[in-house]
Amino acid sequence: DGCGNWRVEGGVCIRHGAKVEYKLCSGEECTNQAKSDGVCIRHGAKKKLCSVDDCTKQAQKGGLCIRHGAKLKRCSGEECTNQAQKGGVCVAHGANGDRCKFEGCIGKGDFSGFCSRHQEHRPNKNDYNLQIQQQQFQQQQQILRMRLASTMSSLGYRHHPPQWN
């Protein structure tokens, strides 16, 4: 319904409820997402570097860094050379990014989603903190579920663990 995001599962994107299982780092008590060889960057996953000799910059596309010719999408705005963000345009030409949630405002929003001029419209701080705590709790539950499923699988169980609410 008007969402242009890539569909992942059941006809919906991640933002609208598709569940995507990420492999977790095998480092002891680490809850980061594994990047390569089953570990996160903190526990030894290597960042891909530019393939040009003696270049230590991180590769972007095609094994090259931006300086050595990685082809990144450019803004489709007339005569604009900025890098495209969302929808093929840069922030100056309408990519939403972290815009203020106040209707009609194009200011940059902070963690609450509102710019400095519209702070009075943000939710009650206690409500916001409760919402953040609930999100963190749900993320921790998801991590525990994935770890339990991984452990059960490695022990030879064929069925998934029960779903807790």
Side-chain angles (χ1 to χ4, degrees):
D1 295 338
C3 174
N5 292 334
W6 185 60
R7 307 297 193 241
V8 175
E9 181 183 307
V12 295
C13 66
I14 294 171
R15 181 182 220 175
H16 291 104
K19 301 291 183 218
V20 178
E21 289 191 24
Y22 297 101
K23 292 185 179 181
L24 294 178
C25 177
S26 59
E28 192 172 325
E29 294 188 30
C30 183
T31 59
N32 293 329
Q33 181 180 342
K35 297 293 181 186
S36 67
D37 298 327
V39 292
C40 66
I41 302 245
R42 180 183 290 164
H43 288 107
K46 302 287 186 239
K47 292 181 181 179
K48 292 180 183 173
L49 298 179
C50 179
S51 58
V52 173
D53 290 338
D54 298 327
C55 182
T56 58
K57 297 197 178 293
Q58 191 170 347
Q60 299 296 317
K61 254 187 168 178
L64 297 171
C65 66
I66 294 171
R67 182 178 193 181
H68 290 113
K71 300 290 183 207
L72 300 177
K73 291 184 180 179
R74 296 290 167 198
C75 177
S76 59
E78 195 171 316
E79 296 184 28
C80 183
T81 58
N82 293 334
Q83 184 177 341
Q85 301 295 318
K86 287 185 177 180
V89 293
C90 67
V91 173
H93 287 107
N96 287 338
D98 296 329
R99 294 284 182 209
C100 178
K101 292 179 182 178
F102 189 78
E103 190 173 337
C105 181
I106 59 168
K108 184 168 174 44
D110 65 3
F111 68 93
S112 70
F114 292 92
C115 70
S116 58
R117 284 182 290 173
H118 297 113
Q119 286 296 311
E120 69 273 8
H121 296 285
R122 74 178 186 196
N124 180 319
K125 187 175 181 180
N126 291 334
D127 292 343
Y128 182 76
N129 288 338
L130 179 61
Q131 183 182 4
I132 294 296
Q133 288 173 348
Q134 288 171 338
Q135 288 173 348
Q136 289 173 340
F137 179 72
Q138 289 170 348
Q139 289 171 346
Q140 290 170 346
Q141 279 185 321
Q142 181 67 20
I143 290 167
L144 291 172
R145 283 187 194 114
M146 290 190 307
R147 289 205 171 195
L148 179 59
S150 175
T151 302
M152 302 265 306
S153 175
S154 67
L155 293 174
Y157 289 94
R158 293 184 181 181
H159 302 288
H160 293 286
Q163 292 294 320
W164 298 292
N165 292 333

